[in-house]
Amino acid sequence: MSTPKPRNAQQGLALLEALVASAVLGIGLAGATRLTLHALQTASDTRQHSLATTLAAQAMDCLQSGRHGCAITHPITVQGTPYTITHQLRERPGLALMDVTVQVQWPLKGRAHVGTSRQANSPAEQGNGLMVLHSSIDQVPAWLSVSSP
């Protein structure tokens, strides 16, 4: 015949099972929390990148249209993030073209700075986001190519 286990041993085993279950639950919750924080950071980065793309496209449109008074050389702050817009116009020698470059730079919030042990070279290594658009403008007046039938 088998002898029944003492009641204290069964209670000790139940306590051990509860401890293991709590540890597994804690590890799962820590992983879920980390995943949620990463998703929030990615959403913030995507919003900042989309806004930088919009600002760069607006600046490029203004420059290509030839309008005067395009306010694209001052910093812009949107939802607490400062964006710096710069542009460069460069003529191509021997051609009636002008190269246009628009650059938007902003600080990446909540990201660890890369390159702490060496000199940071690129804007991403300095903790900055960067959006660059390139285009060309035809310097020949539009009316010049119009011919009458």
Side-chain angles (χ1 to χ4, degrees):
M1 269 203 210
S2 66
T3 59
K5 292 184 179 179
R7 196 162 209 278
N8 288 341
Q10 287 179 350
Q11 286 178 348
L13 188 59
L15 181 62
L16 184 62
E17 288 175 352
L19 230 96
V20 169
S22 296
V24 169
L25 180 64
I27 291 171
L29 288 175
T33 301
R34 184 175 171 109
L35 181 64
T36 302
L37 291 175
H38 181 70
L40 288 172
Q41 184 62 50
T42 301
S44 176
D45 290 348
T46 301
R47 180 190 56 81
Q48 289 175 347
H49 193 270
S50 297
L51 188 56
T53 302
T54 301
L55 291 172
Q58 287 175 350
M60 183 66 77
D61 288 346
C62 188
L63 289 169
Q64 286 182 334
S65 70
R67 289 181 295 185
H68 296 288
C70 296
I72 59 174
T73 57
H74 64 279
I76 298 171
T77 301
V78 179
Q79 295 179 349
T81 303
Y83 294 87
T84 304
I85 304 170
T86 58
H87 68 281
Q88 181 181 16
L89 301 172
R90 188 177 50 215
E91 288 189 35
R92 286 195 198 174
L95 298 173
L97 288 176
M98 183 173 289
D99 290 328
V100 181
T101 303
V102 174
Q103 178 175 313
V104 179
Q105 199 168 2
W106 69 98
L108 294 175
K109 294 185 176 182
R111 292 282 184 189
H113 293 285
V114 179
T116 53
S117 62
R118 62 180 178 85
Q119 182 67 24
N121 295 323
S122 71
E125 289 176 338
Q126 296 171 1
N128 292 327
L130 180 66
M131 167 63 60
V132 180
L133 296 182
H134 300 280
S135 187
S136 296
I137 300 173
D138 184 5
Q139 293 180 327
V140 176
W143 59 266
L144 191 61
S145 62
V146 176
S147 61
S148 44

